[in-house]
Structures are given as structure tokens and as C-alpha cells.
Amino acid sequence: MKKTNTSTKYVSLILLLLIFTTTISHVAEAQNKKTLAYTLSMPQPENHTFHVELKASGWSQDTLSLKMPKWMPGYYQIMDYAKSVENISAKDQQGKKLSIVQSNDNTWKLTGAKNKAFTVSYDIKTKRQFVANSYLDSDHAYVICTNTFFYIDGFLNTPVSIKVLTNQPKHIIATGLDKVVGKSNEFTAPDFDILYDCPLLIGELESLPSFKVKGINHQFIAYKMGTFNRDLFNENLEKIVGSAVKIMGDIPYNEYTFIGIGPGRGGIEHLNNTTVSFDGTGLTTTASMGQVMNFLAHEYFHHYNVKRIRPFELGPFDYDKGSRSNLLWISEGLTVYYEYLVVKRAGLMDEKTLFNNLEHNINAVENNNGRFYQSLSQASYNTWKDGPFGTQGEEVGKTISYYDKGPLVGLLLDFAIRNASQNTKSLDDVMRLLYWQYYKKQNRGFTDAEFQTACEQAAGASLANVFEYINTTKELDYRKYLAFAGLGIKEEIELNGKRKLSIARLEKPTPLQEQILKSWLGE
């Protein structure tokens, strides 16, 4: 009995020690849990200025570097968002002022944060209405998160929350961020890559009826939507989504929102949404409706091509220096190519219009001397300096746009694959392979070599001659590759000396040529 009692005491003591140790561990873990909670307000919207407060705790470092990104993924230009920051200050939870000093053009050093809750307050001054800039006025707000919220250097993977305070009870918030249950103005993101991927549009917004594709909800919501045939627009948009999904065979999001930010310029793609400049008032003709469907098809297809099917350099992102890649011609140029195919296969574009779209790209390339100086891969890498449409300054005439040459190389590559495989494979198969192999299976981007391998795997043959068009300034052989689909190219010289090239069907196509053309057109 005595031995048993002693054993019992030892067991009890050990249990008490375990309970005590576990409790201390949980308390320490709770104290060290990093929290980042932003509150965005707009007390004087007429001054075009947001006010931001960051409440944070759980940091074991005494000095933290708060960084404002220099660019936003999807718009490959240095934007210097830190220039928008004004009136920054910091304090601890007792209200004691903490030191926060700007150490370089986009970094502020905060001292005294160790094991403390602290608040950082600052303003964001907005000046330009553009899809890649935050903007605020008396009627609405557009929030680019890379233009508005700091991240702490080294902690991009930290979860973050946002509360939005508006001055207008009728204001609605459209965003791809996850909502806090029961709160219409509070949102969360598991990390800063997701936060920075989700702009917010705030105002008296209008919505079109949602529609489902493969059981997934899609919706168009906009500020100053305008007057137009909304039923037709929504029907067309549903066809666009269905056409794109049919190519890839998968929907990787829980819901998708098209967000119209009002009149302006540009569109930027995101994982489960896109923000686009939009004014429906001008949608009065078949041509104008077709143009906006091309635009929306482009931005929608990007959620596959670049957000998921991506060059390996585009993630994790370098928010300081930008993420340079030789492969933006795939991300942007092939998305132009697929915007045409998506709209055509949706039944919203006829053959003549499809040819006209491609002819526009052909003539832009053939009348630009830059094609003799810059390759597609160079244009991709240098877009940070040249811009997406080529340099307009001293180097004019020595650069190209991957928005023009990219879709043409996509066309030639597609026809080469179809011809080599006897029309059993196409560029569609390449895009699906990249999606399933690198995004779904390996959760990473692809390299230059992996893209060429995927194309040649689909073709069952070498495509080295086509890839010369990417890495050199070799002239595009339209006749050779268009002929694979029973098409030809015609050329004439206009009075102004410019070349004018056009696409036409060949008179006596072979059965294989007819088969390739028919399947390419989606007929």
C-alpha cells in the first residue's frame, strides 16, 4: 500500500507539472500570436484622403520595418505607392508615442514594438483615377490594397483583417476578400498576397442578377453602371464565362465578381474577381458590345492565365523591386489570343470579326520597326522600363508590344501544334497541362523550358522554329502557319506607305486544313 501511495503521488505531481507547463505554453503562445488589424476610414472624402489605423500585437522584435509595396501584381510598372503616405505616427496601448522614421523611399522603421500592442496611424492621399491607384471622392472609394496597407518586412504570410468605415449608410462594398460572418464591412485575408490581390470598391453600387456556371456564382457589380441593355449584357457575360471554363474544364474559386470601377482606363485581374473601368452608356451597337465582351473575356481568362498558369517569377512576389519575367508574352499576349477565341466560341463573334482582330495585331507588328530590334522575351522582361506597349520616348521604333506580337505567336504556335498532331491536340491542351501540372499539382509557376516542353509534348514534334519567334527578331511566317488551317495572307501598300495585311480562306483546302479551321473556330 505504501508503495502504491508513493506512486500515486508521483503520478499526480507529474500531471500537475504537465498541466502547469501546458498552461504557461498556451499563455505564451497567445501573447506571441501576431495580429494585424486595419481600419480604413474616410472622414473628409472631399479631400481625396483615406485615414488608416493599424492595430498590431504579438511581435517579439523591438524594431519592425513597415513597407509599402512599390507596385501591384497585374500592372507591371513601379508605382511608388509610398509617396501617397502622409502624417504617419505610432503609439503603444498606453498612448505613449513610439518612434517611426522613414528609412528609405518605401520603408518606415518602428521602434519599441517588442511584446507590446501598438497602433500606427497615417493618411493616404489619392490623386489619380486609374485601375492601379487608390482613389477617394465624395461619392465613392476605390482601394488598391498595395497602395494603402503596409506589410511588415519578413511577415507577408501573416493573417490580416480590415474594417471599413464609410460616411454613407447606402454604401456597398465589393471585394474578393472573405467577409467576417455577420459583418458587411469587415474582411479577412490569410496573408498579404491575398490581401493585395483584392481591391475594394465602395459606394452606391448597382448589381446585375447573379448567374451560375457549373454551380458557381458569378456577378457583375459597378459604380455608375450607366444605361444599356443589361439583360443582354448579362446573358453575354454568362456565355463568356461558360466558354472560358469549357476550355480549362475547372473552376478554382468559390465565387467570382466583375467589379466595374466607373469610367476610366484599364482592367486588372485577380484570383476571384477583376476590377475594370466601365461605363455602359456607350453600349448601343453590336460593335461596342463586342468590344466590352472582348475586354471582360480578357480579364476573366487571366484568372487562369497568369493568376494560376503563371511564370515561375510571378509568385512569391517581390513587392520592392518588381518581379521580372521573360514570359509576360504568355501571360498577356496569349490572353489576348484567348480573349478572341473565348468570345468566338461563345457565339458572340463572327469569323470576319475574329480575322479583323488578328489583322489589327498583324498590322501593328508589321508597321513597327521595333520588330527588328526587340524580341518577345525582351519585351516581356523590359516592360518595367518600356511599358506594355513599348517605349514612347527616345527609343520609339525600337521596341514592340507583347499585346500585339504575343497573340500572333500564339496563333502560329496553335496551328503548328494542330498540324503536327493531325488536329488531335492544340494550344488548349498546353494550357490545360500547365494548369493541372504546375498550378494544381505542384502549386508553382512554369519555366521557359517547361513551356516549350509542354508545347512540343502536345505537338509530338519539335517546335524549335516557332520558338525562334519568341527569343529572336526573326520575321513571322504567316503564310506557312496560316496554311495549316486553310488560311492565307494578303498584302497591299496603302497611300501613306503602310503595309496592310489581311487574312482570307484558301480556295481549295485539304480535309486536314478544313478540320483544323473548324475545330479552331469552335464549330
Side-chain angles (χ1 to χ4, degrees):
M1 289 291 293
K2 187 175 181 179
K3 185 175 182 180
T4 304
N5 288 339
T6 301
S7 299
T8 302
K9 289 179 180 179
Y10 281 135
V11 171
S12 298
L13 181 59
I14 290 170
L15 286 172
L16 285 171
L17 286 171
L18 284 172
I19 292 170
F20 178 76
T21 303
T22 302
T23 301
I24 293 297
S25 176
H26 285 167
V27 170
E29 183 180 347
Q31 289 176 339
N32 292 327
K33 183 179 180 182
K34 296 176 177 62
T35 62
L36 292 169
Y38 279 100
T39 299
L40 178 73
S41 59
M42 41 207 90
Q44 294 182 304
E46 66 276 7
N47 292 334
H48 311 294
T49 302
F50 292 106
H51 182 67
V52 186
E53 281 195 353
L54 166 62
K55 292 186 180 297
S57 62
W59 302 87
S60 58
Q61 297 84 355
D62 186 64
T63 300
L64 300 174
S65 295
L66 277 67
K67 301 184 75 69
M68 189 66 74
K70 289 189 175 183
W71 68 293
M72 69 171 297
Y75 190 70
Y76 308 102
Q77 300 286 288
I78 296 299
M79 300 295 288
D80 289 324
Y81 290 129
K83 291 182 178 179
S84 302
V85 177
E86 298 180 347
N87 305 320
I88 191 167
S89 64
K91 62 183 179 181
D92 64 19
Q93 63 189 116
Q94 282 77 40
K96 181 181 176 181
K97 186 177 180 180
L98 298 178
S99 172
I100 185 164
V101 179
Q102 188 167 4
S103 58
N104 63 31
D105 57 349
N106 74 321
T107 306
W108 281 257
K109 295 283 188 181
L110 172 67
T111 305
K114 186 174 182 178
N115 299 327
K116 290 182 180 179
F118 61 88
T119 301
V120 178
S121 301
Y122 57 96
D123 296 326
I124 295 291
K125 184 71 173 179
T126 71
K127 298 177 181 179
R128 181 187 179 195
Q129 293 194 63
F130 182 57
V131 72
N133 288 100
S134 294
Y135 187 76
L136 173 66
D137 62 23
S138 298
D139 294 325
H140 83 302
Y142 178 55
V143 182
I144 292 294
C145 292
T146 50
N147 189 173
T148 309
F149 302 116
F150 286 107
Y151 69 92
I152 296 179
D153 195 20
F155 297 94
L156 280 166
N157 291 329
T158 306
V160 60
S161 66
I162 296 175
K163 179 189 288 187
V164 178
L165 304 180
T166 70
N167 300 330
Q168 302 293 334
K170 292 183 179 180
H171 276 184
I172 296 169
I173 303 172
T175 181
L177 291 170
D178 289 335
K179 289 183 179 179
V180 174
V181 176
K183 303 287 186 179
S184 62
N185 67 329
E186 296 184 27
F187 308 90
T188 62
D191 55 51
F192 277 80
D193 283 334
I194 296 299
L195 174 70
Y196 290 156
D197 188 58
C198 295
L200 299 92
L201 180 66
I202 306 159
E204 292 188 30
L205 311 182
E206 297 180 87
S207 300
L208 299 183
S210 62
F211 58 85
K212 292 185 183 295
V213 175
K214 285 186 174 290
I216 301 297
N217 203 53
H218 299 74
Q219 188 168 42
F220 188 92
I221 186 168
Y223 169 70
K224 290 189 175 180
M225 191 178 291
T227 302
F228 58 101
N229 188 335
R230 298 186 178 191
D231 290 338
L232 177 61
F233 178 93
N234 219 31
E235 290 171 9
N236 290 346
L237 190 57
E238 182 175 355
K239 291 176 182 177
I240 292 294
V241 173
S243 176
V245 169
K246 187 175 180 180
I247 292 172
M248 300 306 302
D250 186 52
I251 296 182
Y253 47 77
N254 295 322
E255 62 179 5
Y256 190 93
T257 308
F258 295 88
I259 303 174
I261 64 173
R265 294 182 60 191
I268 294 182
E269 67 280 353
H270 307 289
L271 287 167
N272 66 357
N273 68 95
T274 181
T275 51
V276 295
S277 299
F278 182 81
D279 180 4
T281 302
L283 300 182
T284 56
T285 65
T286 301
S288 60
M289 182 68 79
Q291 288 174 355
V292 78
M293 286 300 137
N294 271 25
F295 177 38
L296 294 175
H298 181 99
E299 299 306 330
Y300 177 75
F301 197 77
H302 263 318
H303 88 79
Y304 291 120
N305 190 31
V306 79
K307 297 307 298 182
R308 294 177 171 91
I309 303 170
R310 62 176 178 81
F312 77 98
E313 299 95 341
L314 297 185
F317 296 109
D318 186 336
Y319 293 105
D320 250 1
K321 299 176 182 178
S323 298
R324 290 177 178 265
S325 173
N326 292 328
L327 302 176
L328 284 182
W329 74 270
I330 297 173
S331 302
E332 293 294 347
L334 291 193
T335 300
V336 173
Y337 178 62
Y338 270 100
E339 98 186 34
Y340 302 157
L341 296 186
V342 164
V343 177
K344 174 66 177 70
R345 295 173 186 176
L348 302 177
M349 179 190 292
D350 59 22
E351 180 180 302
K352 183 176 184 299
T353 304
L354 173 60
F355 289 173
N356 286 344
N357 284 331
L358 290 165
E359 288 164 4
H360 173 80
N361 299 127
I362 291 171
N363 288 301
V365 169
E366 295 303 313
N367 287 291
N368 178 8
N369 284 334
R371 73 187 189 279
F372 300 122
Y373 295 92
Q374 189 178 58
S375 70
L376 260 182
S377 57
Q378 289 172 328
S380 298
Y381 191 82
N382 290 328
T383 188
W384 296 88
K385 173 177 68 73
D386 297 340
F389 306 107
T391 299
Q392 302 301 312
E394 293 179 3
E395 292 296 304
V396 65
K398 292 190 177 181
T399 61
I400 62 170
S401 170
Y402 47 65
Y403 283 103
D404 285 320
K405 191 172 181 179
L408 300 180
V409 171
L411 174 69
L412 273 52
L413 187 58
D414 198 358
F415 285 172
I417 293 170
R418 290 172 185 270
N419 181 70
S421 67
Q422 297 293 293
N423 202 43
T424 61
K425 299 290 183 179
S426 71
L427 192 59
D428 295 359
D429 294 282
V430 174
M431 302 305 285
R432 285 190 287 266
L433 186 151
L434 297 174
Y435 177 79
W436 290 99
Q437 178 69 23
Y438 297 107
Y439 169 66
K440 297 286 280 190
K441 186 176 180 180
Q442 300 184 43
N443 192 29
R444 69 171 177 87
F446 57 87
T447 66
D448 307 52
E450 287 167 341
F451 178 76
Q452 182 167 348
T453 297
C455 291
E456 293 180 338
Q457 180 180 320
S462 171
L463 297 173
N465 289 339
V466 182
F467 276 82
E468 287 185 32
Y469 296 136
I470 298 163
N471 299 313
T472 75
T473 57
K474 180 181 176 181
E475 291 279 83
L476 300 179
D477 189 343
Y478 302 106
R479 282 184 173 80
K480 174 182 176 180
Y481 293 95
L482 288 175
F484 292 154
L487 299 174
I489 194 87
K490 296 180 179 180
E491 181 177 351
E492 58 184 284
I493 304 298
E494 296 182 310
L495 294 176
N496 58 10
K498 287 188 175 183
R499 300 169 67 193
K500 182 179 180 181
L501 290 85
S502 57
I503 299 171
R505 288 187 180 231
L506 297 178
E507 290 185 3
K508 296 180 179 180
T510 67
L512 178 59
Q513 289 172 326
E514 288 184 332
Q515 185 183 9
I516 289 174
L517 181 60
K518 187 174 181 180
S519 63
W520 176 68
L521 292 171
E523 296 175 350

